[in-house]
């Protein structure tokens, strides 16, 4: 997923337009998380790492992964580089 736009630090969605950024509790733009993951200053869904992996498989397949297993493998490798999941990866590691 190489991209010059910032990526959501939870789901890796490219944030290439102002409406794609999440909002903090005061209504200001959050530069780390997208509009799907961050609403009113908190995560829209309290997912576990594994839930997030499974929830994102369809999006990664739409971007070119050929199978659920291929997408799952790539997501599991990439998500620990994102701010939301980095601590969870260290605990597992």
């Amino acid at each position: 997923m190489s991209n010059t736009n910032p990526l959501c630090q939870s789901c890796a969605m490219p944030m290439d337009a102002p409406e794609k950024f999440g909002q903090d509790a005061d209504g200001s733009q959050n530069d780390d998380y997208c509009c799907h993951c961050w609403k009113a200053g908190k995560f829209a869904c309290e997912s576990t790492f594994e839930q997030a992996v499974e929830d994102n498989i369809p999006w990664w397949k739409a971007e070119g992964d050929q199978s659920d297993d291929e997408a799952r493998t790539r997501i599991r490798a990439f998500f620990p580089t994102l701010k939301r999941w980095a601590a969870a990866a260290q605990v597992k590691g």
Side-chain angles (χ1 to χ4, degrees):
M1 287 204 138
S2 95
N3 198 311
T4 58
N5 297 309
L7 297 177
C8 175
Q9 292 298 299
S10 178
C11 72
M13 180 179 97
M15 298 185 300
D16 56 4
E19 65 272 10
K20 291 186 178 178
F21 287 80
Q23 285 192 337
D24 287 326
D26 64 3
S28 64
Q29 176 178 296
N30 183 285
D31 292 334
D32 289 328
Y33 301 107
C34 76
C35 60
H36 302 290
C37 293
W38 193 256
K39 297 180 182 193
K42 62 183 181 178
F43 288 111
C45 181
E46 287 299 329
S47 297
T48 66
F49 179 80
E50 286 303 320
Q51 287 170 325
V53 169
E54 294 301 313
D55 289 347
N56 280 277
I57 287 172
W59 302 109
W60 285 56
K61 284 177 66 179
E63 293 295 319
D65 287 329
Q66 298 298 309
S67 68
D68 286 4
D69 287 339
E70 181 181 351
R72 188 177 291 111
T73 298
R74 289 191 46 224
I75 294 167
R76 282 185 179 147
F78 188 74
F79 272 22
T81 70
L82 302 174
K83 190 180 286 189
R84 183 174 185 183
W85 307 114
Q90 290 174 358
V91 170
K92 281 185 166 185

